[in-house]
Amino acid sequence: MTVEEFRLPDVGEGVAEGELVSWLVAPGDRVEEDQPVAEVETDKALVEVPSSYDGTVEELFVEEGEMVPVGDVIISFRVDGAEADADDSGSADEGAVDETSPDASEPEAADESAPADESAPADESAPADESAPATSSGRTFAPPSARRLARELGVDVAAVDGSGPGGRVTEANVRAHAEAADEDAASGGGDAPEPRPAPTPTDVDSGDRKSAVRKRGEGGTAEPSVTADAGSAPEPAGRDTTLATPATRKLARDLDVDIDDVPTDETRDGEAFVTGEDVQAYADAPESETAEPEPTPEPVDVDAGAEPAASDTAADRAAAATETGASAGDETVPYRGVRRTIGEQMERSKFTAPHVTHHDTAEVDALVAAREELKPKADAEEVKLTYMPFVMKAIVAGLKEHPYLNSELREDDGEIVLKKEYNLGIAVATDAGLMVPVVDDVDEKGIFELAAEVRDLASRARDRKLKPAEMKGSTFSVTNFGAIGGEFATPIINYPETAILGLGAIEERPVVRDGEVVPAPTLPLSLSIDHRVVDGAVAAEFANTVMEHLEQPLLLLTQ
């Protein structure tokens, strides 16, 4: 048997890194070639990464929620000699990655706006803890997050009864076990020895507690990266360049910390990479380590009713919780995956392109009538006809007359590129967040063809089966907040595009005709532009062109 390392393959066009959202296997699991071993988030697509080997999972090197550059080792396998001679590059065939993508919502009134097994002892012949969840191998299965919590609470994860699939131990199981232990201690079980975590592949023969998911290259008994004495404050790093996520930089600003001074052992592309934990540790260290030593407290007479003084660390945590408005009843949700990708893209767009939004309303009596007339023919061809294809064709008419809304500003080159393709991104609301699949060459497709393609993309978007390529290459985007009851909004541009059109709901609203107020179906429009490229007057003219084609659908036949 040999140990083979598996590297994160390129799971998309030009993808440089991805977030490992969840492990689908644990150390000790038997896997076959092409079997998915992990879920990875790249851009806005969730893809399953298949194994290149038949073998047994030896070790996981990446925590769930961690960003991983393409080409980094994420897992290793024990394989027999024949397998070891096979391709060990760690790259999987592109066709083996199931990356089917998300789809665009269709508007009726304008549409859409593992577990890591870390408790296996080195000596597999040793008897397993009788209290561990029953598994075929006798190991305890728990994700890294549950194991971290167990270490923090001093809980032996092998002694926790798992309620997850296959007896996996969850965070809730760990908390329940810790609370039960506290109750036992309070009722007279205080003489029992403190439980210790079962040894894991990374801490066998070591008294230090570590995550079972370890960085490649770390020794099983290596000391933690921060080894400074408790009494010495860390020296400022004084770097010129530091890599960090926007959230980490915000935390540094909030804590009044110079991110270039924060010590770190992590690097990305040869540059220091600082995490939020590094910033928090650096901010906390000077306060507790440079303060004057406090005198030893006098013994407290517990029997007299006095309570022991809380530690400074606990007091600091309580104060921090009060300052941030946190309370014991608050729920925290990881900011990662699609939600973080969307957040970073929105932040980049909003802080790069100065947004201006133009609002207008189209009276669409003729459009409603045209759709009703075409629906029987669409039904006969098994096509669900919504208003979105009509809107898309009207947008193309506007882009042809006003090409600066179908452009990209390339600041570094000092030029504006006027696109000659009309590829529309259609925003789709999914359980995982907003996804924007792209309909290519809208100008070359008919109404029914667009209706079928939009429906297919929207359906696969909601099922998270879009391919990364199906969410790239858009030149203009449409978002349909009217599908959930909205009227007007200020949509954020899908950068580096220069404009996005938001659609309200088509409903009867009061309009003035021949001096009388009458009800009529109207479509509210919200057009956001990058004011560096598009002037307000041009935006208004574009909106007028779009409305003209929606109010006179026969004009769409010219597109």
Side-chain angles (χ1 to χ4, degrees), residues 191-215:
D191 294 335
E194 179 183 355
R196 294 187 57 188
T200 71
T202 60
D203 62 14
V204 174
D205 297 330
S206 172
D208 297 323
R209 297 178 179 178
K210 303 182 182 66
S211 169
V213 179
R214 70 172 177 85
K215 303 290 184 187

Side-chain angles (χ1 to χ4, degrees), residues 7 20 28 33 138 187 230 294 312 323 336 371 466 471 474:
R7 301 174 184 274
L20 198 146
E33 185 176 1
S187 62
E294 296 186 4
D312 290 340
E323 291 175 5
R336 65 188 188 193
R371 174 176 172 267
L466 286 178
M471 291 185 286
S474 59

Side-chain angles (χ1 to χ4, degrees), residues 92-321:
D93 291 341
E94 293 182 5
V97 181
D98 181 12
E99 310 172 340
T100 17
S101 63
D103 70 352
S105 37
E106 354 164 316
E108 225 358 53
D111 229 24
E112 282 38 37
S113 345
D117 174 5
E118 312 167 351
S119 60
D123 182 4
E124 296 188 2
S125 64
D129 190 324
E130 295 179 359
S131 61
T135 64
S136 59
S137 63
R139 293 183 171 88
T140 301
F141 292 97
S145 59
R147 294 185 181 276
R148 280 197 301 272
L149 181 62
R151 289 192 295 275
E152 292 169 2
L153 299 178
V155 169
D156 181 355
V157 74
V160 179
D161 293 327
S163 62
R168 297 183 190 278
V169 175
T170 66
E171 292 184 49
N173 298 148
V174 173
R175 289 193 182 93
H177 186 89
E179 291 171 1
D182 290 342
E183 291 175 2
D184 290 344
S187 62
D191 294 335
E194 179 183 355
R196 294 187 57 188
T200 71
T202 60
D203 62 14
V204 174
D205 297 330
S206 172
D208 297 323
R209 297 178 179 178
K210 303 182 182 66
S211 169
V213 179
R214 70 172 177 85
K215 303 290 184 187
R216 178 173 175 263
E218 289 181 352
T221 60
E223 293 296 324
S225 59
V226 179
T227 57
D229 293 337
S232 61
E235 291 293 330
R239 292 181 298 272
D240 292 329
T241 304
T242 300
L243 301 182
T245 64
T248 300
R249 294 185 183 279
K250 181 179 184 302
L251 177 62
R253 291 194 298 270
D254 292 344
L255 297 176
D256 196 23
V257 167
D258 185 343
I259 202 165
D260 291 328
D261 287 341
V262 179
T264 181
D265 291 333
E266 276 199 63
T267 59
R268 295 275 178 89
D269 298 328
E271 299 286 353
F273 181 83
V274 170
T275 66
E277 293 178 356
D278 296 331
V279 171
Q280 189 67 58
Y282 183 73
D284 291 343
E287 180 178 355
S288 60
E289 294 170 358
T290 62
E292 291 295 326
E294 296 186 4
T296 304
E298 294 294 328
V300 177
D301 185 358
V302 178
D303 293 337
E307 296 185 3
S311 68
D312 290 340
T313 303
D316 290 343
R317 283 198 299 266

Side-chain angles (χ1 to χ4, degrees), residues 231-472:
S232 61
E235 291 293 330
R239 292 181 298 272
D240 292 329
T241 304
T242 300
L243 301 182
T245 64
T248 300
R249 294 185 183 279
K250 181 179 184 302
L251 177 62
R253 291 194 298 270
D254 292 344
L255 297 176
D256 196 23
V257 167
D258 185 343
I259 202 165
D260 291 328
D261 287 341
V262 179
T264 181
D265 291 333
E266 276 199 63
T267 59
R268 295 275 178 89
D269 298 328
E271 299 286 353
F273 181 83
V274 170
T275 66
E277 293 178 356
D278 296 331
V279 171
Q280 189 67 58
Y282 183 73
D284 291 343
E287 180 178 355
S288 60
E289 294 170 358
T290 62
E292 291 295 326
E294 296 186 4
T296 304
E298 294 294 328
V300 177
D301 185 358
V302 178
D303 293 337
E307 296 185 3
S311 68
D312 290 340
T313 303
D316 290 343
R317 283 198 299 266
T322 301
E323 291 175 5
T324 59
S327 66
D330 290 343
E331 178 185 2
T332 60
V333 179
Y335 180 57
R336 65 188 188 193
V338 172
R339 173 50 51 201
R340 186 168 69 185
T341 302
I342 293 173
E344 291 174 349
Q345 171 68 359
M346 293 300 98
E347 179 182 48
R348 179 189 181 199
S349 177
K350 194 66 176 177
F351 293 128
T352 301
H355 283 53
V356 172
T357 304
H358 172 85
H359 300 288
D360 217 325
T361 303
E363 299 177 17
V364 290
D365 312 59
L367 176 61
V368 172
R371 174 176 172 267
E372 287 301 319
E373 188 174 344
L374 290 173
K375 279 186 70 175
K377 181 173 177 57
D379 292 340
E381 297 185 20
E382 298 183 347
V383 173
K384 183 178 179 181
L385 185 60
T386 68
Y387 292 108
M388 182 62 80
F390 297 94
V391 174
M392 294 168 70
K393 297 294 282 186
I395 288 173
V396 169
L399 295 178
K400 287 182 176 180
E401 288 193 26
H402 308 283
Y404 278 85
L405 281 90
N406 197 52
S407 67
E408 176 185 339
L409 172 61
R410 296 178 179 172
E411 294 180 271
D412 293 342
D413 299 327
E415 60 187 20
I416 299 172
V417 181
L418 304 181
K419 303 295 184 69
K420 297 304 180 183
E421 295 180 333
Y422 301 95
N423 305 330
L424 301 191
I426 311 296
V428 182
T430 74
D431 292 341
L434 198 67
M435 296 190 179
V436 188
V438 179
V439 180
D440 293 328
D441 304 319
V442 174
D443 56 320
E444 300 176 3
K445 297 174 180 176
I447 294 291
F448 287 4
E449 185 179 1
L450 290 174
E453 187 170 349
V454 167
R455 183 172 178 79
D456 171 63
L457 287 171
S459 175
R460 290 192 290 114
R462 297 188 190 99
D463 294 337
R464 305 198 67 185
K465 292 183 178 179
L466 286 178
K467 299 175 182 177
E470 291 178 302
M471 291 185 286
K472 295 181 178 180

Side-chain angles (χ1 to χ4, degrees), residues 493-508:
I493 297 167
N494 187 17
Y495 190 81
E497 297 168 20
T498 55
I500 181 172
L501 182 65
L503 308 176
I506 293 182
E507 295 177 351
E508 282 200 342

